[in-house]
Amino acid sequence: MTEFLQYLITGVGGGCAFALVGSGLVVVHRVTRVVNFAQGSFAVIAALTASTLLASGLPHGLAELSAVAVGAGAGLLVGLVAIGRPGTPPGASLIITLGLAVFAYAVEVLIWGDQPRSFAGVPGAVEFAGVRFQAHYLLIIGATAVVFAGTAALFARTDIGRALSACASNPYAAKVVGIDVVRMGLLAFGIGGALGGLAGVLVTPIQLVTFDYDVTLIVGGFAAAVFGGLMRPLHTLVGGVLLGVAQSFVAGYGNAAYQMEVALVLLLAVMLRQAVRTPVAEQEPA
């Protein structure tokens, strides 16, 4: 029972990172219909930036927030290239984001090298029901809950959120009533970059990050986002947590080398289920 709780808690923490990356994918897709394959790169860039800022003496908190801002800036830059030209079809934008994700490898290796990096998170351990785990997991879970609540409030209770939702529902009608669809799309990419950056700075204290760690994050994040039909943030949170817990159980009771296979199998199963039951083109935003 102790091992079960241990794997459950660590799995929820890891799954929250997938959920944050997946929520960035959802925000961008809801507004622009573009699947942003550079989403994992935002997390890696922010994580590596935070490690550099902390090593230079910047205090915790300020370094992580600065790194998240860098992630948001990277998201905005990707958005400018992918959708900045009006009329760019989503398929072409998808290919552009994939190319930029590969290009990010060269930039990251040039700046930070190819060695894994990490930094200290919340110190100490917490004991719950006889199980001891790193206190940093509580920060990951708590921050994720706050971010998802804030994202829901943004879309439901603010003018900017309503404008984003209008673009998601009917871009043509949004343009007719005076909403700048391209600007809203760029804002969505910026929000996606911030969400990815937050995932990166939260997960780095418990996971060594290298320039190619984005593959793990984008596969897990995409699986979580597909669980929510690429449109529903709360379903994405559930999908991310389920995936994290499944991977933790596989690593704990089986072999950690198969964690990626678990994500791919779950991703394939969800995509097949949705392809059979609900065509993506007919789904409506939550």
Side-chain angles (χ1 to χ4, degrees):
M1 187 61 181
T2 300
E3 287 184 343
F4 177 85
L5 288 175
Q6 180 77 46
Y7 300 147
L8 179 63
I9 293 170
T10 56
V12 170
C16 285
F18 294 144
L20 286 170
V21 173
S23 66
L25 287 166
V26 168
V27 169
V28 171
H29 185 263
R30 278 174 63 118
V31 178
T32 67
R33 297 295 189 271
V34 174
V35 178
N36 177 24
F37 280 106
Q39 183 67 29
S41 301
F42 306 150
V44 173
I45 289 172
L48 297 177
T49 299
S51 70
T52 298
L53 294 177
L54 289 168
S56 67
L58 209 63
H60 275 290
L62 183 58
E64 284 86 347
L65 288 175
S66 299
V68 171
V70 170
L76 184 59
L77 285 176
V78 170
L80 280 170
V81 178
I83 65 166
R85 181 181 178 184
T88 304
S93 297
L94 182 152
I95 298 300
I96 290 172
T97 64
L98 183 59
L100 289 174
V102 176
F103 176 71
Y105 281 0
V107 176
E108 291 158 6
V109 172
L110 182 65
I111 297 176
W112 291 286
D114 60 355
Q115 296 302 305
R117 294 192 178 208
S118 185
F119 52 81
V122 177
V126 176
E127 185 168 342
F128 173 74
V131 177
R132 287 179 62 82
F133 56 91
Q134 295 180 47
H136 188 78
Y137 281 101
L138 295 180
L139 175 63
I140 296 176
I141 296 170
T144 301
V146 170
V147 166
F148 271 83
T151 303
L154 170 69
F155 278 97
R157 300 183 179 180
T158 68
D159 291 338
I160 292 179
R162 295 187 185 97
L164 289 168
S165 297
C167 294
S169 299
N170 191 326
Y172 178 77
K175 189 182 297 184
V176 168
V177 299
I179 297 174
D180 190 328
V181 176
V182 173
R183 183 173 296 180
M184 290 298 104
L186 293 176
L187 177 60
F189 267 92
I191 294 172
L195 291 170
L198 180 61
V201 299
L202 285 175
V203 78
T204 304
I206 60 171
Q207 174 67 53
L208 291 173
V209 172
T210 59
F211 70 95
D212 58 353
Y213 185 62
D214 69 309
V215 175
T216 300
L217 289 175
I218 193 62
V219 171
F222 189 61
V226 169
F227 190 85
L230 286 170
M231 301 296 276
R232 301 176 177 87
L234 288 180
H235 287 68
T236 301
L237 174 61
V238 173
V241 170
L242 288 175
L243 175 60
V245 171
Q247 288 191 336
S248 180
F249 284 152
V250 168
Y253 292 115
N255 190 329
Y258 296 119
Q259 286 182 304
M260 178 63 78
E261 284 75 6
V262 170
L264 292 173
V265 169
L266 288 178
L267 174 61
L268 181 61
V270 172
M271 291 181 71
L272 288 174
R273 177 179 177 274
Q274 292 194 352
V276 171
R277 299 187 59 183
T278 310
V280 173
E282 296 180 4
Q283 293 179 8
E284 296 294 336

